[in-house]
C-alpha cells in the first residue's frame, strides 16, 4: 500500500527520502516520487516502477547531495487512475507553490474536482489525491497549517497527508484521518512516515498522530493541532526494535528470514505470559477480573486474510478449552452485516499491521455496539491497537514480507494462551493447564525442528513447482491451516491454489482432480486421521499426486502418498503452528523455483488500508 516519507533537517534530503522509501518497498507499490524544496522552488521527480529508478532519476536531475532542505516522498499503489508518472505523487498546484503526498482515498473527490474545475483549475492526473493540493492552494491565506486544516474540513474519506510549500520553507504539514502517520524526532531534524520501518534507522523517538491531527513539523520539533486549530498533546513513544530487524541479515528474502525467525518470534509472544504457579496465562493489557471474564459468553473474531485463518484456528481453542461459542467473521462482512453484539460479547480483531481498513471498521462497529474489544496486533501504536479497549501485542518483530508468516504463528499462539485464560476461568483444571503450558513452551523448539528440514521441503517443492493448480485439504484444527497454506502458495507463486475441508472435496472440487493437480493433505496423527486416509484415497483414484504432512514416526502413509513432509509429534493445539511453518517453506521454495518476486508479489500490499 502507499507509503509516505518526509524530512526536514541538515542531511541530504533526497538520500534520506530514498532511504525511507526503500524501507517501505515491502508494502507494495507501482510508482514513486518526491518533491524537494530548494532554492526558492519545488522540484518534483517521479517515476514508474522501483525506487531504484527514482534514485537514478534524482541523481541525474538534482544529484543526491542536496543538503539542508525539506522534502516529501511517496510510493503509490494505484486506486484511482493507472500506475503512471502523471498519477504518481507528489501532486503540485498550478503555480508550483504547494506539493502534497497522500495515502488513503478521498471519497468526495469527484464533486470537489468539479467545483475546482468550474473555477478554472486544470487537473493533470486521474487521481483523487490531486484535489487536495488545489484545495489547499485555494484555502491558503498566509498560514499553511490553517490552509491544510480548512481544506481537510471539506474532504470525506481517509488521508495520511504531507504538504510542503514555497511559502513555508523548512516546514512540513502532516495530517491524518484513517491512514497512519507518525513523526520522528531527531536532534535538529524531524521526519515523517506512514510506517515506523522508514524511520528506525534515523530515530526511535516518534509521535503517532491521531485522526484529525494536523502537525507542523520543523527541524526543531512539532506542534500539533486539531482541524479546529486547537493545540493537542500527543505522547512521544519509543520504537523498540533494532534497525537490523528491517534488514534481510543475509537471507535471500524477507519472507525466508521471517519464516526462520519463528522460534524466536513465537518465544517472544509466549515470554512472561505463562504462569506455572497459578497454571494460567496472563496478559498485562487485558486487566479484566475473573468475575468480568466469567461474564463473557460469546467471542467474535473479526479479521482478514491470514489473520482470519489464525482466528479460525482460535475458534477451536476457545470452544475446546473454554466452551465459549465463537464466530469468526471476515471483517468487511462483519461491518456491513449489522452484526448482533450483546454486552457479554468480546470482539477480537486480529491484525498483524493493525491498519487493515475493514478490521479497523469492525473495531469501531463493535465498540459502538458496546462490545469489549480486545485487539491482537503486531504493530505497536497501530490504529487498531490504539482504538481497541485492550490490545495484546504479538511481539513478533516487524514483518516486512508481504506474505504473512511469523505473524500467523504468533497470532495462533496468542489465541491459544488467551483461550487458556478463559478456560481456567471456567472448567479447565490446574493439572490440565500445566500440561498445556508445557506444550506451549515446546512450540519454539518444534518450529525449529521443521526449519531444520528446509532442504527436504525444498526438494519436494521443486518437484511440483510447475503445477498450475493445487488443492490443500485439512480437517479439524488443520482445516484453517489448509486455507492458509493455499493462500501462501497463491500469493507468492501465482499458482491457483484452493484450500478445502477434506470432507468438502467430494462435494464438487474433486471434479478438478487429475494427474497435473497435486493435493497437499494435512494428514498429521490427530483426530480425523483415518478419515483423511480415505480422502487421500479419493485423490489418488483421480490420479492426483498427494503431498502429505505426516507426524514423525507415522508409517501409515509410506505407500499411500507421493511425497511426505514430516511434522514433529505434537497435540492438536500445537500442530497448526508447526504445520503452518512447513507449508510456508513449501510455498516459499515453489515461488523461488518459479523465479517469482517473493517479497513484493504482484498486486498485493502489506497492509490494506482501503476498502
Ligand atoms: C497475508 O499473507 C496477506 N498478505 C493478507 O491476507 C493479510 O493477512 C491481510 O491483509 C490482513 O492483514 P492484517 O493482519 O495486517 O490485518
Amino acid at each position: 500500500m502507499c507509503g509516505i516519507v518526509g524530512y526536514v533537517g541538515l542531511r541530504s534530503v533526497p538520500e534520506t527520502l530514498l532511504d525511507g522509501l526503500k524501507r517501505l518497498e515491502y508494502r507494495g507499490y507501482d510508482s514513486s516520487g518526491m518533491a524537494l524544496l530548494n532554492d526558492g522552488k519545488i522540484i518534483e521527480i517521479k517515476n514508474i516502477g522501483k525506487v531504484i529508478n527514482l534514485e537514478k532519476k534524482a541523481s541525474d536531475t538534482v544529484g543526491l547531495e542536496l543538503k539542508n532542505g525539506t522534502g516529501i516522498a511517496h510510493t503509490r499503489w494505484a486506486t484511482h487512475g493507472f500506475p503512471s508518472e502523471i498519477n504518481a505523487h507528489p501532486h503540485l498546484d498550478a503555480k508550483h507553490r504547494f506539493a502534497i503526498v497522500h495515502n488513503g482515498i478521498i471519497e468526495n473527490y469527484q464533486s470537489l474536482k468539479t467545483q475546482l474545475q468550474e473555477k478554472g483549475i486544470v487537473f493533470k492526473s486521474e487521481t483523487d489525491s490531486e484535489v487536495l493540493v488545489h484545495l489547499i492552494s485555494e484555502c491558503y491565506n498566509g498560514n499553511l497549517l490553517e490552509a491544510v486544516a480548512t481544506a481537510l474540513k471539506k474532504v470525506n474519506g481517509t488521508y495520511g497527508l504531507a504538504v510542503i510549500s514555497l511559502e513555508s520553507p523548512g516546514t512540513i504539514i502532516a495530517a491524518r484521518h484513517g491512514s497512519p502517520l507518525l513523526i520522528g524526532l531527531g536532534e535538529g531534524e524531524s521526519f515523517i512516515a506512514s510506517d515506523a520501518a522508514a524511520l528506525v534507522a534515523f530515530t526511535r523517538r516518534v509521535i503517532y498522530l491521531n485522526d484529525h491531527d494536523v502537525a507542523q513539523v520543523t527541524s526543531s520539533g512539532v506542534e500539533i493541532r486539531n482541524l479546529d486549530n486547537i493545540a493537542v498533546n500527543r505522547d512521544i513513544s519509543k520504537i523498540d526494535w533494532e534497525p537490523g530487524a528491517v534488514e534481510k541479515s543475509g537471507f535471500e528474502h524477507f519472507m525466508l528470514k521471517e519464516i526462520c525467525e519463528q522460534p524466536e518470534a513465537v518465544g517472544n509472544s509466549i515470554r512472561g505470559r505463562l504462569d506455572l504457579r497459578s497454571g494460567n496465562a496472563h496478559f498485562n493489557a487485558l486487566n479484566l477480573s475473573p468475575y468480568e471474564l466469567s461474564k463473557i459468553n460469546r467471542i467474535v473474531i473479526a479479521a482478514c486474510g491470514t489473520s482470519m485463518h489464525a482466528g479460525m484456528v482460535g475458534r477451536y481453542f476457545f470452544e475446546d478449552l473454554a466452551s465459549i461459542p465463537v464466530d469468526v467473521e471476515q471483517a468487511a462482512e462483519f461491518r456491513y452485516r449489522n452484526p448482533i453484539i450483546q454486552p457479554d460479547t468480546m470482539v477480537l480483531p486480529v491484525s498483524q499491521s493493525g491498519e487493515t481498513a475493514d478490521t479497523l471498521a469492525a473495531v469501531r462497529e463493535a465498540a459502538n455496539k458496546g462490545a469489549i474489544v480486545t485487539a491482537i496486533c503486531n504493530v505497536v501504536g497501530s490504529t487498531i491497537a490504539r482504538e481497541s479497549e485492550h490490545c495484546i501485542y504479538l511481539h513478533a518483530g516487524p514483518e516486512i514480507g508481504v506474505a504473512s508468516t511469523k505473524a500467523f504463528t504468533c497470532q495462533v499462539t496468542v489465541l491459544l494462551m488467551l483461550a487458556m485464560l478463559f478456560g481456567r476461568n471456567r472448567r479447565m483444571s490446574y493439572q490440565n493447564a500445566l500440561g498445556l503450558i508445557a506444550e506451549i513452551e515446546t512450540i519454539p523448539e518444534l518450529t525449529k525442528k521443521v526449519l531444520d528440514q528446509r532442504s527436504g521441503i525444498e526438494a519436494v517443492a521443486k518437484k511440483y513447482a510447475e503445477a498450475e493448480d493445487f488443492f490443500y485439504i485439512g480437517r479439524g484444527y488443520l482445516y484453517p491451516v489448509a486455507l492458509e497454506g493455499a493462500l501462501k502458495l497463491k500469493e507468492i507463486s501465482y499458482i491457483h491454489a484452493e484450500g478445502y475441508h477434506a470432507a468438502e472435496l467430494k462435494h464438487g472440487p474433486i471434479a478438478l482432480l487429475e494427474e497435473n493437480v497435486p493435493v497437499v493433505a494435512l494428514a498429521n496423527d490427530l483426530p480425523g486421521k483415518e478419515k483423511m486416509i480415505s480422502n487421500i484415497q479419493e485423490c489418488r483414484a483421480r490420479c492426483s499426486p498427494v503431498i502429505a504432512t505426516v507426524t514423525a514416526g507415522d508409517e501409515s502413509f509410506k505407500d499411500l502418498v507421493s511425497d511426505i513432509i514430516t511434522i514433529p509429534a505434537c497435540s492438536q493445539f500445537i500442530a497448526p503452528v508447526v504445520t503452518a511453518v512447513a507449508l510456508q517453506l513449501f510455498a516459499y521454495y515453489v515461488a523461488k523455483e518459479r523465479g517469482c518476486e517473493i517479497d513484493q508479489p504482484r498486486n498485493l500490499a502489506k497492509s490494506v488500508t482501503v476498502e
Side-chain angles (χ1 to χ4, degrees):
M1 201 68 24
C2 307
I4 288 178
V5 184
Y7 177 70
V8 48
L10 292 177
R11 294 174 197 252
S12 156
V13 183
E15 263 176 5
T16 311
L17 295 176
L18 286 161
D19 184 295
L21 288 187
K22 284 180 190 166
R23 292 171 197 276
L24 296 184
E25 283 192 291
Y26 76 95
R27 300 174 65 90
Y29 66 102
D30 47 57
S31 49
S32 57
M34 63 169 88
L36 309 168
L37 229 170
N38 188 256
D39 233 3
K41 59 181 184 300
I42 295 179
I43 305 164
E44 93 187 286
I45 307 163
K46 306 195 211 185
N47 223 99
I48 305 204
K50 297 289 172 201
V51 170
I52 195 145
N53 302 338
L54 183 73
E55 181 166 31
K56 175 146 194 347
K57 200 162 178 180
S59 160
D60 293 346
T61 47
V62 289
L64 298 177
E65 284 289 317
L66 217 59
K67 292 216 162 125
N68 194 9
T70 312
I72 51 178
H74 192 256
T75 46
R76 174 174 187 254
W77 188 79
T79 57
H80 295 60
F82 283 108
S84 70
E85 210 167 295
I86 288 183
N87 288 335
H89 299 211
H91 295 291
L92 275 65
D93 66 314
K95 293 187 179 153
H96 284 207
R97 287 195 309 159
F98 304 91
I100 62 117
V101 291
H102 166 234
N103 287 355
I105 291 181
I106 306 302
E107 284 161 9
N108 60 337
Y109 87 99
Q110 197 55 61
S111 65
L112 292 170
K113 187 170 178 174
T114 311
Q115 287 165 29
L116 290 162
Q117 282 170 327
E118 280 166 6
K119 291 183 180 174
I121 291 168
V122 178
F123 279 73
K124 286 190 234 134
S125 76
E126 302 158 288
T127 65
D128 54 330
S129 308
E130 193 184 341
V131 294
L132 291 170
V133 74
H134 299 302
L135 269 183
I136 292 166
S137 161
E138 286 283 291
C139 296
Y140 186 74
N141 212 349
N143 182 313
L144 185 58
L145 185 139
E146 282 176 24
V148 173
T150 312
L152 291 177
K153 281 185 169 180
K154 299 176 197 280
V155 156
N156 297 333
T158 53
Y159 51 79
L161 176 71
V163 187
I164 55 171
S165 169
L166 279 188
E167 316 294 338
S168 308
T171 300
I172 304 174
I173 303 296
R176 85 155 259 172
H177 177 235
S179 192
L181 209 59
L182 58 150
I183 319 283
L185 304 170
E187 295 300 323
E189 59 183 355
S190 300
F191 306 80
I192 61 159
S194 51
D195 183 327
L199 303 186
V200 72
F202 302 119
T203 181
R204 305 283 186 86
R205 294 170 64 234
V206 299
I207 295 174
Y208 294 95
L209 293 186
N210 278 4
D211 276 353
H212 306 300
D213 284 354
V214 189
Q216 179 159 301
V217 184
T218 61
S219 57
S220 52
V222 56
E223 192 190 317
I224 306 174
R225 299 184 165 263
N226 64 18
L227 288 182
D228 293 322
N229 210 8
I230 297 168
V232 289
N233 260 327
R234 300 288 171 234
D235 294 340
I236 298 177
S237 311
K238 196 163 176 295
I239 302 173
D240 60 2
W241 26 273
E242 298 296 321
V246 289
E247 283 157 17
K248 282 191 211 151
S249 318
F251 284 89
E252 196 173 342
H253 296 99
F254 280 113
M255 184 180 177
L256 184 61
K257 176 183 175 227
E258 286 155 11
I259 292 173
C260 292
E261 279 171 354
Q262 287 177 108
E264 200 191 334
V266 174
N268 287 340
S269 292
I270 297 171
R271 187 160 304 119
R273 287 171 165 172
L274 293 173
D275 179 15
L276 281 174
R277 223 159 29 98
S278 59
N280 211 342
H282 61 88
F283 302 92
N284 291 338
L286 189 62
N287 47 355
L288 296 181
S289 68
Y291 177 75
E292 287 168 316
L293 275 180
S294 72
K295 293 288 155 210
I296 295 164
N297 287 321
R298 184 175 160 235
I299 287 177
V300 176
I301 299 175
C304 303
T306 289
S307 297
M308 183 178 70
H309 296 153
M312 290 171 74
V313 180
R315 169 165 45 201
Y316 291 83
F317 295 149
F318 284 106
E319 290 178 355
D320 277 354
L321 299 174
S323 305
I324 301 182
V326 179
D327 297 305
V328 183
E329 301 269 6
Q330 207 289 337
E333 199 49 30
F334 176 86
R335 67 184 287 198
Y336 286 118
R337 220 195 50 240
N338 198 12
I340 298 163
I341 298 292
Q342 281 140 343
D344 61 355
T345 305
M346 178 177 269
V347 172
L348 301 178
V350 181
S351 174
Q352 186 285 128
S353 62
E355 302 294 348
T356 301
D358 285 321
T359 311
L360 175 59
V363 168
R364 290 175 177 159
E365 184 64 18
N368 190 44
K369 285 189 151 70
I372 306 157
V373 182
T374 302
I376 298 176
C377 281
N378 192 32
V379 178
V380 176
S382 58
T383 312
I384 291 173
R386 286 184 298 140
E387 291 203 13
S388 299
E389 197 176 330
H390 313 277
C391 179
I392 300 173
Y393 284 114
L394 301 180
H395 303 309
E399 191 181 66
I400 308 291
V402 166
S404 188
T405 52
K406 61 178 177 174
F408 175 80
T409 46
C410 292
Q411 285 164 341
V412 172
T413 306
V414 165
L415 284 162
L416 176 57
M417 293 189 291
L418 190 59
M420 180 178 168
L421 174 72
F422 277 89
R424 286 290 286 138
N425 184 250
R426 288 158 161 83
R427 297 277 311 134
M428 187 190 276
S429 69
Y430 175 67
Q431 280 310 325
N432 285 351
L434 289 188
L436 185 57
I437 289 177
E439 282 194 70
I440 294 172
E441 283 174 339
T442 64
I443 300 178
E445 186 52 33
L446 294 181
T447 52
K448 197 170 165 302
K449 281 193 176 160
V450 176
L451 295 173
D452 291 343
Q453 301 175 51
R454 264 162 70 179
S455 54
I457 296 175
E458 182 175 12
V460 180
K462 279 186 169 161
K463 200 168 149 190
Y464 294 97
E466 280 177 16
E468 286 309 327
D469 300 279
F470 259 88
F471 280 87
Y472 283 65
I473 54 172
R475 290 177 163 267
Y477 279 77
L478 295 183
Y479 163 48
V481 179
L483 303 186
E484 175 58 12
L487 178 66
K488 283 289 87 73
L489 188 71
K490 70 185 123 196
E491 279 187 298
I492 57 167
S493 72
Y494 315 139
I495 295 175
H496 166 234
E498 305 230 25
Y500 271 98
H501 192 283
E504 186 63 18
L505 209 59
K506 54 182 158 307
H507 296 287
I510 201 165
L512 299 175
L513 296 192
E514 52 171 15
E515 60 186 338
N516 298 328
V517 182
V519 177
V520 178
L522 309 187
N524 307 29
D525 194 6
L526 296 174
K529 183 184 117 181
E530 296 310 319
K531 293 196 175 10
M532 181 56 90
I533 291 178
S534 309
N535 299 134
I536 289 173
Q537 298 283 19
E538 289 158 9
C539 300
R540 272 172 39 118
R542 273 84 194 169
C543 299
S544 277
V546 176
I547 305 148
T549 62
V550 167
T551 301
D554 184 348
E555 298 291 310
S556 35
F557 292 89
K558 242 163 104 196
D559 303 318
L560 192 62
V561 299
S562 312
D563 288 280
I564 284 179
I565 296 174
T566 308
I567 305 294
C570 56
S571 79
Q572 67 221 43
F573 301 118
I574 312 300
V577 172
V578 184
T579 310
V581 176
L583 300 187
Q584 294 164 357
L585 284 169
F586 180 76
Y588 172 80
Y589 286 118
V590 169
K592 188 173 166 216
E593 185 67 14
R594 289 167 73 98
C596 299
E597 268 205 62
I598 290 177
D599 284 332
Q600 292 153 42
R602 71 183 182 210
N603 302 343
L604 296 183
K606 183 62 185 163
S607 60
V608 183
T609 51
V610 294
E611 277 188 59

